[in-house]
Amino acid sequence: MDQFEKAYESYKQQGTPQVNQHDTTGKEEIIAVRKNEDDNIIAIKTNSGRELDYPTALSEAKAGNLANVDVFHKYGRDILRSEPDGVKENNLDELPEF
């Protein structure tokens, strides 16, 4: 292991593991997505059955009402993404479509 790998491993050990430790109390979880012909997510479905268009989902996420997602600014606009937890299966692009 070279010095860069050692430094990165040391950095990773400083944090608290987050995998499967999300605070979902009172928050809805995204269970499915709808995509357009360009494979872009245009809507989400929550575990309570609500179907939200993308701008509404962004607003809900910013308000802290959706579990396990983050909103970040890229390409000049806000983007919804699943929290990085090392689990590919729960990424928004991997969820079933509705």
Side-chain angles (χ1 to χ4, degrees), residues 43-78:
I44 60 115
K45 184 174 187 175
T46 69
N47 59 336
S48 70
R50 290 195 311 151
E51 297 178 0
L52 308 174
D53 60 48
Y54 196 81
T56 303
L58 281 170
S59 294
E60 291 280 335
K62 286 179 187 178
N65 299 330
L66 297 177
N68 307 324
V69 292
D70 293 322
V71 176
F72 70 104
H73 198 76
K74 191 173 182 178
Y75 313 119
R77 62 184 180 270
D78 288 335

Short mmCIF file of all heavy atoms in Angstrom, two decimals, residues 43-78:
data_model
loop_
_atom_site.label_atom_id
_atom_site.label_comp_id
_atom_site.label_asym_id
_atom_site.label_seq_id
_atom_site.Cartn_x
_atom_site.Cartn_y
_atom_site.Cartn_z
N ALA A 43 -39.72 11.69 -12.31
CA ALA A 43 -40.67 11.60 -11.20
C ALA A 43 -40.22 10.49 -10.27
O ALA A 43 -39.44 9.61 -10.64
CB ALA A 43 -42.08 11.31 -11.71
N ILE A 44 -40.72 10.55 -9.03
CA ILE A 44 -40.41 9.51 -8.05
C ILE A 44 -41.70 9.05 -7.37
O ILE A 44 -42.69 9.77 -7.36
CB ILE A 44 -39.40 10.01 -6.99
CG1 ILE A 44 -39.93 11.24 -6.21
CG2 ILE A 44 -38.08 10.38 -7.63
CD1 ILE A 44 -40.16 10.97 -4.78
N LYS A 45 -41.65 7.85 -6.83
CA LYS A 45 -42.76 7.32 -6.04
C LYS A 45 -42.22 6.99 -4.65
O LYS A 45 -41.16 6.40 -4.51
CB LYS A 45 -43.32 6.05 -6.69
CG LYS A 45 -44.54 5.50 -5.99
CD LYS A 45 -45.13 4.33 -6.76
CE LYS A 45 -46.44 3.89 -6.15
NZ LYS A 45 -47.07 2.85 -6.97
N THR A 46 -42.99 7.38 -3.62
CA THR A 46 -42.54 7.15 -2.25
C THR A 46 -43.22 5.92 -1.66
O THR A 46 -44.20 5.41 -2.21
CB THR A 46 -42.84 8.37 -1.36
OG1 THR A 46 -44.25 8.47 -1.18
CG2 THR A 46 -42.27 9.65 -1.94
N ASN A 47 -42.72 5.50 -0.52
CA ASN A 47 -43.29 4.33 0.15
C ASN A 47 -44.70 4.59 0.68
O ASN A 47 -45.40 3.66 1.04
CB ASN A 47 -42.37 3.84 1.28
CG ASN A 47 -42.10 4.90 2.34
OD1 ASN A 47 -42.20 6.09 2.10
ND2 ASN A 47 -41.72 4.45 3.51
N SER A 48 -45.14 5.84 0.70
CA SER A 48 -46.51 6.13 1.10
C SER A 48 -47.45 6.14 -0.11
O SER A 48 -48.65 6.35 0.05
CB SER A 48 -46.59 7.48 1.82
OG SER A 48 -46.38 8.53 0.91
N GLY A 49 -46.88 5.93 -1.31
CA GLY A 49 -47.69 5.88 -2.52
C GLY A 49 -47.76 7.19 -3.29
O GLY A 49 -48.35 7.25 -4.36
N ARG A 50 -47.16 8.25 -2.74
CA ARG A 50 -47.18 9.52 -3.46
C ARG A 50 -46.29 9.46 -4.68
O ARG A 50 -45.19 8.90 -4.65
CB ARG A 50 -46.72 10.68 -2.57
CG ARG A 50 -47.68 11.02 -1.49
CD ARG A 50 -47.42 12.37 -0.85
NE ARG A 50 -46.02 12.57 -0.46
CZ ARG A 50 -45.44 13.77 -0.42
NH1 ARG A 50 -46.10 14.85 -0.74
NH2 ARG A 50 -44.18 13.88 -0.03
N GLU A 51 -46.76 10.05 -5.77
CA GLU A 51 -45.99 10.18 -7.00
C GLU A 51 -45.69 11.66 -7.18
O GLU A 51 -46.61 12.48 -7.30
CB GLU A 51 -46.75 9.61 -8.19
CG GLU A 51 -47.00 8.12 -8.05
CD GLU A 51 -47.82 7.54 -9.20
OE1 GLU A 51 -48.20 8.27 -10.13
OE2 GLU A 51 -48.07 6.32 -9.14
N LEU A 52 -44.41 12.01 -7.19
CA LEU A 52 -43.99 13.41 -7.23
C LEU A 52 -43.22 13.69 -8.51
O LEU A 52 -42.32 12.92 -8.87
CB LEU A 52 -43.10 13.73 -6.03
CG LEU A 52 -43.62 13.38 -4.65
CD1 LEU A 52 -42.55 13.65 -3.60
CD2 LEU A 52 -44.87 14.17 -4.33
N ASP A 53 -43.54 14.81 -9.17
CA ASP A 53 -42.72 15.21 -10.30
C ASP A 53 -41.35 15.63 -9.77
O ASP A 53 -41.16 15.83 -8.56
CB ASP A 53 -43.39 16.32 -11.12
CG ASP A 53 -43.65 17.59 -10.31
OD1 ASP A 53 -42.74 18.07 -9.61
OD2 ASP A 53 -44.78 18.09 -10.38
N TYR A 54 -40.38 15.76 -10.65
CA TYR A 54 -39.00 16.01 -10.23
C TYR A 54 -38.86 17.32 -9.44
O TYR A 54 -38.23 17.31 -8.36
CB TYR A 54 -38.07 15.99 -11.44
CG TYR A 54 -36.62 15.85 -11.08
CD1 TYR A 54 -36.07 14.62 -10.78
CD2 TYR A 54 -35.79 16.97 -11.02
CE1 TYR A 54 -34.72 14.49 -10.44
CE2 TYR A 54 -34.45 16.86 -10.68
CZ TYR A 54 -33.93 15.61 -10.39
OH TYR A 54 -32.61 15.49 -10.04
N PRO A 55 -39.43 18.45 -9.90
CA PRO A 55 -39.28 19.67 -9.10
C PRO A 55 -39.89 19.56 -7.70
O PRO A 55 -39.34 20.06 -6.73
CB PRO A 55 -40.02 20.74 -9.94
CG PRO A 55 -39.95 20.23 -11.34
CD PRO A 55 -40.05 18.73 -11.20
N THR A 56 -41.02 18.87 -7.59
CA THR A 56 -41.63 18.68 -6.27
C THR A 56 -40.76 17.79 -5.39
O THR A 56 -40.59 18.04 -4.19
CB THR A 56 -43.05 18.10 -6.41
OG1 THR A 56 -43.83 18.97 -7.23
CG2 THR A 56 -43.72 17.93 -5.06
N ALA A 57 -40.18 16.74 -5.99
CA ALA A 57 -39.28 15.86 -5.24
C ALA A 57 -38.07 16.64 -4.72
O ALA A 57 -37.64 16.44 -3.58
CB ALA A 57 -38.85 14.69 -6.11
N LEU A 58 -37.54 17.54 -5.54
CA LEU A 58 -36.42 18.38 -5.10
C LEU A 58 -36.84 19.22 -3.89
O LEU A 58 -36.09 19.31 -2.91
CB LEU A 58 -35.95 19.29 -6.23
CG LEU A 58 -35.06 18.68 -7.29
CD1 LEU A 58 -34.89 19.65 -8.45
CD2 LEU A 58 -33.71 18.30 -6.71
N SER A 59 -38.01 19.83 -3.97
CA SER A 59 -38.49 20.66 -2.86
C SER A 59 -38.68 19.84 -1.59
O SER A 59 -38.31 20.27 -0.50
CB SER A 59 -39.82 21.32 -3.23
OG SER A 59 -39.64 22.23 -4.28
N GLU A 60 -39.25 18.65 -1.74
CA GLU A 60 -39.46 17.77 -0.58
C GLU A 60 -38.12 17.36 0.03
O GLU A 60 -37.97 17.30 1.25
CB GLU A 60 -40.25 16.53 -1.00
CG GLU A 60 -41.68 16.82 -1.37
CD GLU A 60 -42.60 16.97 -0.15
OE1 GLU A 60 -42.28 16.41 0.91
OE2 GLU A 60 -43.63 17.63 -0.29
N ALA A 61 -37.14 17.07 -0.82
CA ALA A 61 -35.82 16.67 -0.32
C ALA A 61 -35.14 17.83 0.39
O ALA A 61 -34.55 17.65 1.46
CB ALA A 61 -34.96 16.16 -1.47
N LYS A 62 -35.23 19.03 -0.18
CA LYS A 62 -34.63 20.20 0.46
C LYS A 62 -35.27 20.48 1.82
O LYS A 62 -34.59 20.93 2.74
CB LYS A 62 -34.80 21.43 -0.43
CG LYS A 62 -33.91 21.45 -1.63
CD LYS A 62 -34.18 22.71 -2.43
CE LYS A 62 -33.46 22.74 -3.74
NZ LYS A 62 -33.80 23.96 -4.52
N ALA A 63 -36.55 20.20 1.94
CA ALA A 63 -37.26 20.41 3.20
C ALA A 63 -36.98 19.31 4.21
O ALA A 63 -37.43 19.37 5.34
CB ALA A 63 -38.76 20.51 2.93
N GLY A 64 -36.25 18.27 3.80
CA GLY A 64 -35.92 17.18 4.71
C GLY A 64 -37.00 16.14 4.85
O GLY A 64 -36.99 15.36 5.79
N ASN A 65 -37.93 16.10 3.90
CA ASN A 65 -39.04 15.16 3.99
C ASN A 65 -38.79 13.82 3.33
O ASN A 65 -39.60 12.90 3.48
CB ASN A 65 -40.31 15.79 3.38
CG ASN A 65 -40.72 17.04 4.13
OD1 ASN A 65 -40.50 17.16 5.32
ND2 ASN A 65 -41.30 17.97 3.42
N LEU A 66 -37.70 13.70 2.56
CA LEU A 66 -37.38 12.44 1.90
C LEU A 66 -36.11 11.86 2.51
O LEU A 66 -35.11 12.57 2.67
CB LEU A 66 -37.18 12.66 0.39
CG LEU A 66 -38.39 13.15 -0.38
CD1 LEU A 66 -38.01 13.39 -1.85
CD2 LEU A 66 -39.54 12.17 -0.29
N ALA A 67 -36.15 10.59 2.83
CA ALA A 67 -35.02 9.91 3.45
C ALA A 67 -34.00 9.47 2.40
O ALA A 67 -34.35 9.15 1.26
CB ALA A 67 -35.51 8.69 4.22
N ASN A 68 -32.75 9.45 2.82
CA ASN A 68 -31.66 8.84 2.06
C ASN A 68 -31.35 9.49 0.73
O ASN A 68 -30.84 8.85 -0.18
CB ASN A 68 -31.92 7.34 1.84
CG ASN A 68 -32.21 6.62 3.13
OD1 ASN A 68 -31.64 6.95 4.17
ND2 ASN A 68 -33.10 5.66 3.10
N VAL A 69 -31.67 10.78 0.59
CA VAL A 69 -31.33 11.51 -0.63
C VAL A 69 -30.69 12.84 -0.27
O VAL A 69 -30.88 13.37 0.82
CB VAL A 69 -32.55 11.76 -1.55
CG1 VAL A 69 -33.07 10.47 -2.14
CG2 VAL A 69 -33.64 12.52 -0.83
N ASP A 70 -29.92 13.36 -1.20
CA ASP A 70 -29.28 14.66 -1.07
C ASP A 70 -29.65 15.50 -2.28
O ASP A 70 -29.95 14.96 -3.35
CB ASP A 70 -27.75 14.54 -1.05
CG ASP A 70 -27.22 13.84 0.18
OD1 ASP A 70 -27.78 14.06 1.26
OD2 ASP A 70 -26.24 13.09 0.05
N VAL A 71 -29.61 16.81 -2.13
CA VAL A 71 -29.76 17.72 -3.25
C VAL A 71 -28.44 18.47 -3.37
O VAL A 71 -27.92 18.99 -2.38
CB VAL A 71 -30.91 18.72 -3.02
CG1 VAL A 71 -30.99 19.73 -4.16
CG2 VAL A 71 -32.23 17.98 -2.85
N PHE A 72 -27.88 18.48 -4.56
CA PHE A 72 -26.66 19.24 -4.77
C PHE A 72 -26.79 20.03 -6.06
O PHE A 72 -27.65 19.75 -6.89
CB PHE A 72 -25.42 18.34 -4.73
CG PHE A 72 -25.29 17.41 -5.90
CD1 PHE A 72 -24.38 17.67 -6.91
CD2 PHE A 72 -26.05 16.24 -5.98
CE1 PHE A 72 -24.25 16.81 -7.98
CE2 PHE A 72 -25.92 15.37 -7.04
CZ PHE A 72 -25.02 15.67 -8.05
N HIS A 73 -25.97 21.03 -6.20
CA HIS A 73 -26.05 21.94 -7.34
C HIS A 73 -24.96 21.56 -8.35
O HIS A 73 -23.78 21.53 -8.00
CB HIS A 73 -25.88 23.38 -6.88
CG HIS A 73 -26.35 24.38 -7.86
ND1 HIS A 73 -27.68 24.64 -8.08
CD2 HIS A 73 -25.67 25.18 -8.72
CE1 HIS A 73 -27.80 25.56 -9.02
NE2 HIS A 73 -26.59 25.90 -9.42
N LYS A 74 -25.38 21.26 -9.57
CA LYS A 74 -24.45 20.88 -10.63
C LYS A 74 -25.10 21.22 -11.96
O LYS A 74 -26.33 21.17 -12.08
CB LYS A 74 -24.13 19.39 -10.54
CG LYS A 74 -23.00 18.92 -11.41
CD LYS A 74 -22.66 17.48 -11.11
CE LYS A 74 -21.49 17.03 -11.95
NZ LYS A 74 -21.11 15.65 -11.67
N TYR A 75 -24.30 21.55 -12.95
CA TYR A 75 -24.82 21.90 -14.28
C TYR A 75 -25.74 23.11 -14.22
O TYR A 75 -26.66 23.25 -15.02
CB TYR A 75 -25.56 20.72 -14.94
CG TYR A 75 -24.85 19.41 -14.89
CD1 TYR A 75 -25.42 18.32 -14.24
CD2 TYR A 75 -23.60 19.25 -15.49
CE1 TYR A 75 -24.77 17.10 -14.19
CE2 TYR A 75 -22.94 18.03 -15.44
CZ TYR A 75 -23.53 16.97 -14.79
OH TYR A 75 -22.89 15.75 -14.74
N GLY A 76 -25.57 23.96 -13.22
CA GLY A 76 -26.37 25.16 -13.10
C GLY A 76 -27.76 24.95 -12.52
O GLY A 76 -28.61 25.84 -12.60
N ARG A 77 -28.01 23.77 -11.95
CA ARG A 77 -29.33 23.50 -11.37
C ARG A 77 -29.18 22.51 -10.22
O ARG A 77 -28.16 21.87 -10.06
CB ARG A 77 -30.28 22.97 -12.42
CG ARG A 77 -29.86 21.67 -13.04
CD ARG A 77 -30.82 21.25 -14.17
NE ARG A 77 -30.41 20.02 -14.76
CZ ARG A 77 -29.58 19.89 -15.79
NH1 ARG A 77 -29.06 20.96 -16.35
NH2 ARG A 77 -29.27 18.72 -16.28
N ASP A 78 -30.25 22.38 -9.43
CA ASP A 78 -30.27 21.41 -8.34
C ASP A 78 -30.52 20.01 -8.90
O ASP A 78 -31.31 19.84 -9.84
CB ASP A 78 -31.35 21.76 -7.32
CG ASP A 78 -31.00 22.98 -6.51
OD1 ASP A 78 -29.79 23.27 -6.36
OD2 ASP A 78 -31.93 23.64 -6.01
#
